[in-house]
Amino acid sequence: QVQLVESGGGLVQAGGSLRLSCAASGNIFNINTMGWYRQAPGKQRELVADITRSGSTNYSDSVKGRFTISRDNRKNAVYLQMNSLKPEDAAVYYCNADIVRYGIRAGYWGQGTQVTVSS
């Protein structure tokens, strides 16, 4: 089975930085798009950024210029460098991956990692 394991969340002051990591494991043939989503209390889960296998990126307007998504295809991993954090960035951050295994393509989610930003 596939597992996405996230790490790197925590508490940071406004203006600070955090780096999130997510690694996929299991019998994986190929990973297409990988991304990061977040969900704050009382709000819907929203896309933060995603990246294709070839490295094309997409960011939500709220994080452009502050966050950088990257991936390492050899490690089946995706990263999110978050700089200039704001209190409104606080949320549970989830890793998502579009994975092909045994000829079947499906989306998988990590368990989430909490990011807290103090003002």
Side-chain angles (χ1 to χ4, degrees), residues 98-109:
D98 179 12
I99 295 174
V100 179
R101 46 194 305 264
Y102 304 115
I104 298 173
R105 180 178 175 180
Y108 293 85
W109 292 93

Side-chain angles (χ1 to χ4, degrees), residues 28-50:
I28 295 170
F29 174 74
N30 187 47
I31 302 180
N32 298 311
T33 298
M34 302 184 81
W36 289 95
Y37 290 71
R38 67 187 181 188
Q39 187 167 19
K43 294 188 177 182
Q44 289 189 330
R45 190 173 297 188
E46 62 175 359
L47 174 68
V48 175
D50 60 26

Side-chain angles (χ1 to χ4, degrees), residues 38-77:
R38 67 187 181 188
Q39 187 167 19
K43 294 188 177 182
Q44 289 189 330
R45 190 173 297 188
E46 62 175 359
L47 174 68
V48 175
D50 60 26
I51 183 168
T52 66
R53 183 171 182 82
S54 61
S56 295
T57 58
N58 174 51
Y59 295 92
S60 70
D61 288 342
S62 62
V63 307
K64 279 180 183 176
R66 300 187 297 122
F67 292 9
T68 302
I69 190 170
S70 61
R71 66 187 283 172
D72 185 334
N73 291 330
R74 295 171 302 171
K75 296 182 179 179
N76 289 336

